[in-house]
Amino acid sequence: MDYKQLVEIAFEARESAYAPYSGFKSGAALLTADGEVFTGCNIEIASFSPSVCAGHSAFINAITSGYKNFVAIAIVGGPDDVETLDFCPPSGVCRQVIQEFCNPLSFEIILAKSVNDFTILTFEDLFPFAFTKKNVIGN
């Protein structure tokens, strides 16, 4: 792949950017050593949080692909050296990402200890006092 093609892909990725606060949209196309290309775009969140967790990265992948409407997310996690996991709720940053893109009353979060042991919550159940766009822009 030549660099012109890589630049074109980066411009295409830019179209998926979500920048309602600054209006600054960026796209990226990352070429790997074996010829694969991975795209990314900037995603502004009301709190401007800096971290990326499993849920957050799932949103990044979906948003980069042009998707902005979501229904549910399943989250599992825990120390690598344990046999039995506990429920792993979304991190604070992930909660901000969910708040930004999902309806807090209908978006479902599935927390699982195993494939047979899980619970389903709405975002509102998990995070009733979210930091929202209204906190930033006053509407």
Side-chain angles (χ1 to χ4, degrees), residues 93-126:
V93 170
C94 186
R95 293 175 197 213
Q96 282 302 139
V97 173
I98 292 168
Q99 182 285 135
E100 192 76 21
F101 292 98
C102 302
N103 181 327
L105 300 175
S106 63
F107 183 75
E108 293 182 316
I109 300 167
I110 301 100
L111 305 179
K113 294 181 181 181
S114 71
V115 294
N116 297 314
D117 186 4
F118 58 89
T119 188
I120 301 169
L121 305 165
T122 66
F123 180 69
E124 182 72 14
D125 293 334
L126 191 61

Side-chain angles (χ1 to χ4, degrees), residues 3 6 11 16 20 25 37 44 46 54 62 64 68-69 71-72 78 82-83 95 98 103 107 113 119 132 135:
Y3 288 154
L6 203 60
F11 272 99
S16 296
K25 294 183 175 185
V37 177
E44 292 179 354
T64 300
K68 293 189 179 90
N69 295 311
V71 175
V82 298
E83 286 194 30
R95 293 175 197 213
I98 292 168
N103 181 327
F107 183 75
K113 294 181 181 181
T119 188
T132 69
N135 298 108

Side-chain angles (χ1 to χ4, degrees), residues 43 51-70 72-75 94 97-98 101-102 107:
I43 304 166
S51 298
V52 176
C53 63
H56 190 174
S57 64
F59 277 93
I60 289 170
N61 287 329
I63 292 162
T64 300
S65 296
Y67 295 88
K68 293 189 179 90
N69 295 311
F70 306 102
I73 190 170
I75 300 173
C94 186
V97 173
I98 292 168
F101 292 98
C102 302
F107 183 75

Side-chain angles (χ1 to χ4, degrees), residues 71-94:
V71 175
I73 190 170
I75 300 173
V76 298
D80 191 32
D81 59 351
V82 298
E83 286 194 30
T84 304
L85 296 177
D86 200 355
F87 292 133
C88 181
S91 72
V93 170
C94 186

